[in-house]
Every structure is written in structure tokens, then in C-alpha cells.
Amino acid sequence: MNTQLDVAIVLAAGEGTRMKSQTPKVLHSIAGKTIIAHVLDQVTELKAKQVRVVVGHGRELVEPEIKAISPSATTVFQSERNGTGHAVQLALADLKATGTVLILAGDTPLLRSETLAEFLVAHSEAKNLVSVLTSQLPDPSGYGRIVRDETGSIVAIVEERDAPDEIKEIDEINTGVYLFDIAALRESVAKLKNDNSQGELYLTDVIAHIKSGTGKAAAILSFDYTETLGINDRSQLAECAAIMRDRINDSHMRAGVSIIDPTTTWIDFGVKIANDVTIYPGSALFGKTSIESGAIIGPRTSLNNVIVAKGASVIESNCTDCEIGAESTVGPFTFLRAGTKLAANSKAGAYVEIKNSTVGEGSKIPHLSYVGDATIGTGTNIGAATVFVNYDGVEKHRTEIGNEVRIGSDTMLVAPVTVGDGAYTAAGSIITENVPAGAIGVARAKQRNILGWVLRKRSGTRSAQAAAKAGATEEKGS
Ligand code: UD1
Ligand code: MG
């Protein structure tokens, strides 16, 4: 039996009007991957000798994506959308191949290559000239219906728009996935007519044509209808995204990841998660994020291209393009921006924002601080409400903080500035000059108390009453 696939044709020229979007339909994303990338990745698994994609609307945007996903695929331009049959005519026009061709739509991202491979086996075993993959939908409206005769074999596909009521009641639909003998397809598509409600050439009419000849045509029912859902509007996009989310979460859970609430946990395709990671509700893991064993993520945490090392915890936080070291703690309410590197056992606590900075092993920024463009050594503590003043209004400057430094609360570190190993800064200091190792930088006005001020200037207030009760007088003192 020959299960070699000679050609795969993906139809992706449609405008996707119902998406009401500036972005071509097939470039909308699900789980961090465009719809067309999902389809092409599955097609690639089948190892067809040639892959052709029919493009039209938004071609200048769609073609680069196709090149990036499947460099060996070729594109065919359909300047006017005259229907799926017309798209296939164009794809076949200069095609030299013979054998078997798979045709599918670029808007069905949930189809799995395993299902396509089984479909190919069934088609080859039965020696069909055409096989169409069908499914039974709870709500078949909008799809082409499969009409079978009394023996159960397919007679025709009727589009909903052209269907009388009794055909609309059929719940078996055309998924838009077909296998054809190339020669038979070539002969049949040449004969298509646009005598239908849309005035288009319907690829689906080829079935009845092949069937009316001597060719063997079959409709093969797929067992999982969710795989065959197509995306035409934003609700279907959300529906497919939720199915993909469940699939991705299931595969992580089977691999030993605890996902406390899979319905509110969204994980992109390329994310890597080791076993014994726990993900709490409301978390989203995007891009090339990777998480090592024992880490705790969430609740309500979003990570985009973040590397989280063993045993770290990231709670109620938003992190992008950064690295979080082993056993470190981040959050709650922490914002780690691009270029942040937290070494092992470090801490970025509540209401802390860090950008383009390295934080050494065991160092802590526990509360309410901004750290930008800095290098912080090991074992250092940054007091609450410290700001790394990195921007002079024109340029950004760096701050270097040594090992075992104690930055007092509410210090402004005006960059460029360096604080040496073991140095301190006094709370409330505005540090504009380097602090040498072992020194304390004090940069604040000396405090003076004006005795009796409240009793003199705010007499009669509750503060004045409390002060008087505590024994204060109007005396200025010395
Ligand atoms: C099509 C089928 C229908 C099936 C459904 C499955 C036809 C006539 N109808 O309907 O039986 O149930 O898919 O989802 O084939 N395209 C082009 N060029 C064109 C027109 C369409 O490339 O001129 C592409 C579209 O980008 C899309 C695919 O072909 O990827 C299907 O077109 P669409 O307009 O979505 O057809 P449906 O009405 O969904
Ligand atoms: Mg469609």
C-alpha cells in the first residue's frame, strides 16, 4: 500500500471578512502560533514531497510567515477569490506531480498530523480517487453537508447556502480536508461551473463529478469533531484557542506539572516546563519561557520569554525577557522587564520593578523599588523605596552596587554612580557621588525640631490637643 503523500495544498487566500480585522485571518494567533503555522506544522509531519499554499488577501504579510514556518513550501497567488475550486485550479496549473494530493484549509488549526496520517492510510487502503474527511457537529450550520445514498456512500457535498431544508438537517459536514488522485482531480476541476448561489467554483462539486464517473469516492468520518473546527470569526478563534489550551495543559499535566486550574492557565506552544512545577490559577506563560523543576508560578502571573530556575517562586507578577535564579522569590506585584537577571537565592519583592539589571546571588530588593540599568553584587540588600535614578532626561546611565552592600530605605542612586563592597547608604539619601567600599554615604539635610510649633501654629487642632496632653508647650525651646 502506498501512503506516500506527493503534494499538500493549503488554501489560504480568503479574506476572513468575518474576523473584521486588519490582520489576515490565518495570521491570528492561538497559543503563541499563527493559525497558518499550526496547519503547516501538522502538514510538515506528513513529509509531502511538495507543499503549496494558495495565498491572496494580505499576501505580503502571509508569505513571509509561510517562508519562516515552511521554507520549502511554495506559494501560489490567487488574485481574485473565485472559490475553493478556482484556488485548486491555480495550485495545479504548473504542478508536474502525479500521485496523491492532500488539500486542506489554512483556517483549521486543531487538525493533528496523526488524524491526517490515518486519513491517508484509509484513502490508500480503499484505493479511492477522492476521500473527504467529515465530522458530525452538534451545530453543523455554515458548513457543506455530506449527502450519502442508501448504501451509505457519498453522493455529493451541498453547501449550506445552496441546500434545501432536508439537507440542512444533515449533521455530517465537510471538514474541507480531502485526498485526491492528482490526475482525477486535475480532470474534474477543469470542468467546474459557478452555477451556485455564490457564483464561485466549488471544490466540493468535484466529488459528485468523480462519483458520477467510475472513480471511487468516499467520505471518511473523523472521530473527534473538535479537530476539524474552522475559524471564521472571533468566537470561533476563542473556541479553538480554548481547545488548544486544554490540549497543551493536558500534555504538561501528563508530564508531571501540577496545574491547579487548567481553565484559567494559558500556556504557549513553545513553553517548556519540568515536572513538579506548580502553576496556580490565572497564570499565562508565553513565548520561549522555560521553567525548571520545583518552581511555583502564580496565582495571576504572566511570564513572557522567562527562564525560571529550580525551586524559584513567582507570585502575582509580570515578567518579560528575563532570568530568575534557583530558589529565588519574585512577587507579589513585581514587574521584571527585559534584561533582568536574578541570580540564585535572590529576591524581588512586592511592588518592585527591575529592568536591564543583574542581581547577584542572595541579594534582595524586598519592597517598593525601581532598579534600572544596574549591576548588584552578592549578599546585598536594597532598602524599601529605593530608586535607581538611571535617566537624566536624555540618556540612561548605569549604577554599580558591590557585594554585601546595605542601601538604606528611600535612597536615590543617581546614575552613573558606584557603591563599593560592604558600603552603606543612609536612609533618605540622594547619592550622586560614588561611595567607597566600607563607607556610609549620607546625603540628606540634617534634621532640626522646632519645639512648640504645632501648639503655636495649629492651636485648637486635635494634634495640638494630643501634644498638650503629652506635656508639650508653646515654648520654642533652644
Ligand atoms: C468550505 C467548503 C465547505 C466546508 C468548509 C469547511 C467549499 C465550497 N466549501 O466552506 O463545504 O464545510 O469549507 O470549513 O469549498 N479559499 C481560497 N480561495 C478562494 C476561496 C477560499 O483560498 O477563492 C480558502 C479560504 O482562505 C479558506 C478555505 O479556502 O482557507 C475555505 O474557504 P471558506 O471561504 O472558509 O469556505 P467555507 O465557506 O468555510
Ligand atoms: Mg471556512
Side-chain angles (χ1 to χ4, degrees), residues 9-64:
I9 298 174
V10 180
L11 305 182
E15 190 176 340
T17 343
R18 286 166 279 178
M19 294 294 281
K20 300 203 167 65
S21 176
Q22 304 282 356
T23 306
K25 174 166 81 175
V26 293
L27 295 187
H28 282 260
S29 286
I30 285 182
K33 229 160 86 165
T34 60
I35 294 171
I36 188 79
H38 282 285
V39 174
L40 286 174
D41 282 349
Q42 297 307 308
V43 167
T44 302
E45 299 279 313
L46 300 174
K47 301 194 168 49
K49 289 186 203 152
Q50 286 190 60
V51 177
R52 299 199 146 191
V53 187
V54 182
V55 296
H57 177 81
R59 170 199 195 184
E60 61 295 341
L61 299 171
V62 177
E63 276 184 332

Coordinates of all heavy atoms in Angstrom, one line a residue, residues 9-64:
I9 N -1.7 20.8 -0.5 CA -2.1 22.1 -0.9 C -3.0 22.7 0.2 O -3.9 22.1 0.7 CB -3.0 22.1 -2.2 CG1 -2.2 21.6 -3.4 CG2 -3.5 23.5 -2.6 CD1 -3.0 21.4 -4.7
V10 N -2.5 23.9 0.7 CA -3.2 24.6 1.8 C -3.9 25.8 1.1 O -3.2 26.6 0.5 CB -2.2 25.0 2.9 CG1 -3.0 25.7 4.0 CG2 -1.5 23.8 3.4
L11 N -5.2 25.9 1.4 CA -6.0 27.0 0.8 C -6.0 28.2 1.8 O -6.6 28.0 2.9 CB -7.4 26.6 0.4 CG -7.5 25.4 -0.5 CD1 -8.9 25.1 -0.9 CD2 -6.7 25.6 -1.8
A12 N -5.4 29.3 1.5 CA -5.4 30.4 2.5 C -5.5 31.7 1.8 O -4.9 32.7 2.3 CB -4.1 30.3 3.3
A13 N -6.3 31.8 0.8 CA -6.4 33.1 0.0 C -7.5 33.9 0.5 O -7.6 35.1 0.2 CB -6.5 32.8 -1.5
G14 N -8.4 33.3 1.3 CA -9.6 34.0 1.7 C -9.3 35.2 2.6 O -8.3 35.3 3.2
E15 N -10.2 36.1 2.6 CA -10.0 37.4 3.3 C -10.3 37.3 4.8 O -9.7 38.0 5.6 CB -11.0 38.5 2.7 CG -10.7 39.9 3.1 CD -11.6 40.9 2.4 OE1 -12.1 40.5 1.4 OE2 -11.7 42.0 3.0
G16 N -11.2 36.4 5.1 CA -11.6 36.2 6.5 C -12.4 37.4 6.9 O -12.2 38.0 8.0
T17 N -13.3 37.8 6.1 CA -14.1 39.0 6.3 C -14.8 39.0 7.7 O -14.8 40.1 8.4 CB -15.3 39.1 5.3 OG1 -15.0 38.2 4.2 CG2 -15.5 40.5 4.8
R18 N -15.2 37.8 8.2 CA -16.0 37.8 9.4 C -15.1 38.1 10.6 O -15.6 38.3 11.7 CB -16.7 36.4 9.5 CG -17.9 36.3 8.6 CD -18.4 34.9 8.5 NE -17.6 34.1 7.5 CZ -17.8 32.9 7.2 NH1 -18.7 32.2 7.9 NH2 -17.0 32.2 6.3
M19 N -13.8 38.1 10.5 CA -12.9 38.4 11.6 C -12.9 39.9 11.9 O -12.6 40.3 12.9 CB -11.4 38.0 11.3 CG -11.2 36.5 11.1 SD -11.4 35.6 12.7 CE -9.9 36.0 13.5
K20 N -13.3 40.7 10.9 CA -13.3 42.1 11.0 C -12.0 42.7 11.5 O -11.9 43.3 12.6 CB -14.5 42.6 11.8 CG -15.8 42.2 11.3 CD -16.9 43.1 11.8 CE -18.2 42.9 11.0 NZ -18.9 41.6 11.1
S21 N -10.9 42.3 10.8 CA -9.6 42.6 11.3 C -8.7 43.2 10.2 O -8.8 42.9 9.0 CB -9.0 41.3 11.8 OG -7.7 41.5 12.2
Q22 N -7.7 44.0 10.6 CA -6.7 44.4 9.7 C -5.7 43.3 9.4 O -5.0 43.3 8.4 CB -5.8 45.5 10.4 CG -6.6 46.7 10.9 CD -7.0 47.7 9.8 OE1 -6.6 47.5 8.6 NE2 -7.7 48.7 10.1
T23 N -5.6 42.3 10.3 CA -4.7 41.2 10.2 C -5.4 40.1 9.4 O -6.5 39.7 9.7 CB -4.3 40.7 11.6 OG1 -3.9 41.8 12.3 CG2 -3.3 39.6 11.5
P24 N -4.7 39.6 8.3 CA -5.3 38.4 7.6 C -5.7 37.3 8.6 O -4.9 37.1 9.6 CB -4.2 38.0 6.7 CG -3.3 39.2 6.5 CD -3.4 39.9 7.8
K25 N -6.8 36.6 8.3 CA -7.3 35.6 9.3 C -6.2 34.6 9.7 O -6.1 34.4 10.9 CB -8.5 34.9 8.6 CG -9.0 33.8 9.4 CD -10.3 33.3 8.9 CE -10.2 32.4 7.8 NZ -11.6 31.8 7.4
V26 N -5.5 34.1 8.7 CA -4.6 33.0 9.1 C -3.4 33.5 9.9 O -2.6 32.7 10.4 CB -4.1 32.2 7.8 CG1 -5.2 31.5 7.2 CG2 -3.4 33.1 6.8
L27 N -3.2 34.8 10.1 CA -2.1 35.3 10.9 C -2.6 35.6 12.3 O -1.8 36.1 13.1 CB -1.5 36.6 10.3 CG -0.8 36.3 8.9 CD1 -0.1 37.6 8.5 CD2 0.2 35.1 9.0
H28 N -3.8 35.4 12.6 CA -4.2 35.5 14.0 C -3.6 34.3 14.8 O -3.3 33.3 14.2 CB -5.8 35.5 14.2 CG -6.4 36.8 13.8 ND1 -6.8 37.7 14.7 CD2 -6.6 37.4 12.6 CE1 -7.2 38.8 14.1 NE2 -7.1 38.6 12.8
S29 N -3.4 34.5 16.1 CA -2.6 33.5 16.8 C -3.4 32.7 17.8 O -4.4 33.2 18.4 CB -1.5 34.2 17.6 OG -0.5 34.6 16.8
I30 N -3.0 31.5 18.0 CA -3.5 30.6 19.0 C -2.3 30.0 19.8 O -1.4 29.5 19.1 CB -4.4 29.5 18.4 CG1 -5.7 30.1 18.0 CG2 -4.6 28.3 19.4 CD1 -6.6 29.1 17.4
A31 N -2.3 30.2 21.1 CA -1.2 29.6 21.9 C 0.2 30.1 21.3 O 1.2 29.3 21.3 CB -1.2 28.1 21.9
G32 N 0.3 31.3 20.9 CA 1.6 31.9 20.5 C 2.0 31.5 19.1 O 3.2 31.7 18.8
K33 N 1.1 30.9 18.3 CA 1.5 30.5 17.0 C 0.4 30.9 16.1 O -0.8 30.8 16.4 CB 1.6 29.0 17.0 CG 2.8 28.4 16.3 CD 3.1 27.0 16.8 CE 2.4 26.0 15.9 NZ 2.9 24.6 16.1
T34 N 0.7 31.4 14.8 CA -0.4 31.8 13.9 C -1.2 30.6 13.5 O -0.7 29.4 13.5 CB 0.2 32.5 12.7 OG1 1.1 31.6 12.0 CG2 1.0 33.8 13.0
I35 N -2.4 30.8 13.1 CA -3.3 29.8 12.6 C -2.6 29.0 11.5 O -2.6 27.8 11.5 CB -4.6 30.3 12.1 CG1 -5.3 30.9 13.4 CG2 -5.5 29.3 11.5 CD1 -6.6 31.7 13.0
I36 N -2.0 29.7 10.5 CA -1.4 29.0 9.4 C -0.2 28.2 9.8 O 0.1 27.1 9.3 CB -1.0 30.1 8.2 CG1 -0.5 29.3 7.0 CG2 0.1 31.0 8.7 CD1 -1.6 28.8 6.1
A37 N 0.5 28.7 10.9 CA 1.7 27.9 11.4 C 1.2 26.6 12.0 O 1.9 25.6 11.8 CB 2.5 28.7 12.4
H38 N 0.1 26.6 12.7 CA -0.4 25.4 13.3 C -0.7 24.4 12.1 O -0.3 23.2 12.2 CB -1.7 25.6 14.0 CG -1.5 26.2 15.4 ND1 -1.1 25.5 16.4 CD2 -1.7 27.5 15.8 CE1 -1.0 26.3 17.5 NE2 -1.4 27.5 17.2
V39 N -1.3 24.9 11.1 CA -1.7 24.0 10.0 C -0.4 23.5 9.3 O -0.2 22.3 9.0 CB -2.6 24.7 8.9 CG1 -2.9 23.9 7.7 CG2 -3.9 25.1 9.6
L40 N 0.5 24.4 9.0 CA 1.7 24.0 8.2 C 2.6 23.0 9.1 O 3.2 22.1 8.5 CB 2.5 25.2 7.8 CG 2.0 26.0 6.7 CD1 2.8 27.3 6.5 CD2 1.9 25.2 5.4
D41 N 2.7 23.3 10.4 CA 3.5 22.3 11.2 C 2.9 20.9 11.1 O 3.7 20.0 11.1 CB 3.5 22.8 12.6 CG 4.5 24.0 12.8 OD1 5.3 24.2 11.9 OD2 4.5 24.6 13.9
Q42 N 1.6 20.8 11.1 CA 1.0 19.4 11.0 C 1.2 18.8 9.7 O 1.5 17.7 9.5 CB -0.5 19.5 11.4 CG -0.8 20.0 12.8 CD -0.1 19.2 13.8 OE1 -0.1 18.0 13.9 NE2 0.6 19.9 14.7
V43 N 1.1 19.7 8.6 CA 1.3 19.2 7.3 C 2.8 18.7 7.1 O 3.0 17.7 6.5 CB 0.9 20.3 6.2 CG1 1.4 19.9 4.8 CG2 -0.6 20.5 6.2
T44 N 3.7 19.5 7.7 CA 5.1 19.1 7.6 C 5.4 17.7 8.1 O 6.2 17.0 7.5 CB 6.0 20.1 8.4 OG1 5.7 21.4 7.8 CG2 7.5 19.8 8.3
E45 N 4.7 17.3 9.2 CA 4.8 16.0 9.7 C 4.6 14.9 8.7 O 5.0 13.8 8.9 CB 3.9 15.8 10.9 CG 4.1 16.7 12.1 CD 5.2 16.3 13.0 OE1 5.2 15.1 13.3 OE2 6.1 17.2 13.3
L46 N 3.7 15.2 7.7 CA 3.3 14.2 6.8 C 4.4 14.0 5.7 O 4.3 13.0 4.9 CB 2.0 14.5 6.1 CG 0.8 14.7 7.0 CD1 -0.4 15.2 6.3 CD2 0.5 13.4 7.7
K47 N 5.4 14.8 5.7 CA 6.5 14.7 4.7 C 6.1 14.6 3.3 O 6.5 13.7 2.5 CB 7.4 13.5 5.1 CG 7.9 13.6 6.5 CD 9.0 12.6 6.7 CE 9.8 12.8 8.0 NZ 9.0 13.0 9.2
A48 N 5.2 15.5 2.9 CA 4.8 15.5 1.5 C 6.0 16.0 0.6 O 6.8 16.7 1.1 CB 3.6 16.5 1.3
K49 N 6.1 15.5 -0.6 CA 7.2 15.9 -1.4 C 7.2 17.4 -1.8 O 8.2 18.0 -2.0 CB 7.2 15.1 -2.7 CG 7.6 13.6 -2.5 CD 7.7 12.9 -3.9 CE 7.5 11.4 -3.7 NZ 6.9 10.8 -5.0
Q50 N 5.9 17.9 -1.9 CA 5.8 19.3 -2.2 C 4.6 19.9 -1.4 O 3.6 19.2 -1.2 CB 5.3 19.5 -3.6 CG 6.4 19.3 -4.7 CD 5.8 19.8 -6.0 OE1 5.5 20.9 -6.2 NE2 5.7 18.9 -7.0
V51 N 4.8 21.1 -0.9 CA 3.7 21.8 -0.2 C 3.5 23.1 -0.9 O 4.4 23.9 -1.2 CB 4.1 22.1 1.3 CG1 3.0 22.8 2.0 CG2 4.4 20.8 2.0
R52 N 2.2 23.4 -1.3 CA 1.8 24.6 -1.9 C 0.8 25.3 -1.1 O -0.1 24.6 -0.6 CB 1.2 24.3 -3.3 CG 2.2 23.6 -4.2 CD 1.8 23.8 -5.7 NE 3.0 23.9 -6.4 CZ 3.1 24.2 -7.7 NH1 2.0 24.6 -8.3 NH2 4.2 24.3 -8.3
V53 N 0.9 26.6 -1.0 CA -0.1 27.3 -0.2 C -0.7 28.4 -1.1 O 0.1 29.2 -1.8 CB 0.6 28.0 1.0 CG1 -0.5 28.7 1.9 CG2 1.4 27.1 1.8
V54 N -2.0 28.4 -1.3 CA -2.6 29.4 -2.1 C -2.9 30.6 -1.2 O -3.5 30.6 -0.2 CB -3.9 28.9 -2.7 CG1 -4.6 29.9 -3.6 CG2 -3.7 27.6 -3.5
V55 N -2.3 31.8 -1.6 CA -2.4 33.0 -0.9 C -3.1 34.1 -1.7 O -3.1 34.0 -3.0 CB -1.0 33.5 -0.4 CG1 -0.4 32.6 0.6 CG2 -0.1 33.8 -1.6
G56 N -3.7 35.0 -1.1 CA -4.4 36.1 -1.8 C -4.4 37.3 -1.0 O -3.5 38.1 -0.9
H57 N -5.5 37.4 -0.2 CA -5.7 38.6 0.7 C -4.5 38.6 1.7 O -4.1 37.6 2.3 CB -7.0 38.4 1.5 CG -7.2 39.5 2.4 ND1 -7.7 40.8 2.1 CD2 -6.9 39.6 3.8 CE1 -7.7 41.5 3.1 NE2 -7.3 40.9 4.2
G58 N -3.9 39.8 1.8 CA -2.8 40.0 2.8 C -1.6 39.2 2.4 O -0.8 38.9 3.3
R59 N -1.4 38.9 1.1 CA -0.3 38.1 0.7 C 1.1 38.6 1.2 O 1.9 37.8 1.6 CB -0.3 38.2 -0.8 CG 0.8 37.6 -1.5 CD 0.9 38.1 -2.9 NE 1.8 37.4 -3.7 CZ 2.1 37.6 -5.0 NH1 1.5 38.6 -5.6 NH2 3.0 36.9 -5.7
E60 N 1.3 39.9 1.2 CA 2.6 40.5 1.6 C 2.9 40.2 3.1 O 4.0 40.2 3.5 CB 2.7 42.0 1.3 CG 1.7 42.9 2.0 CD 0.2 42.7 1.6 OE1 -0.1 42.1 0.6 OE2 -0.6 43.2 2.4
L61 N 1.9 39.9 3.9 CA 2.1 39.5 5.3 C 2.1 38.0 5.5 O 2.8 37.5 6.3 CB 1.0 40.1 6.2 CG 0.8 41.7 6.2 CD1 -0.4 42.1 6.9 CD2 2.1 42.3 6.8
V62 N 1.3 37.3 4.7 CA 1.1 35.9 4.9 C 2.4 35.2 4.3 O 2.9 34.2 4.9 CB -0.2 35.4 4.2 CG1 -0.3 33.9 4.3 CG2 -1.4 36.0 4.8
E63 N 2.9 35.6 3.2 CA 4.0 34.9 2.5 C 5.3 34.8 3.4 O 5.9 33.8 3.6 CB 4.4 35.5 1.2 CG 3.5 34.9 0.1 CD 3.8 35.4 -1.3 OE1 4.3 36.5 -1.4 OE2 3.5 34.6 -2.2
P64 N 5.7 35.9 4.1 CA 6.9 35.8 5.0 C 6.6 34.8 6.1 O 7.6 34.1 6.5 CB 7.0 37.2 5.5 CG 6.3 38.1 4.6 CD 5.2 37.3 4.0

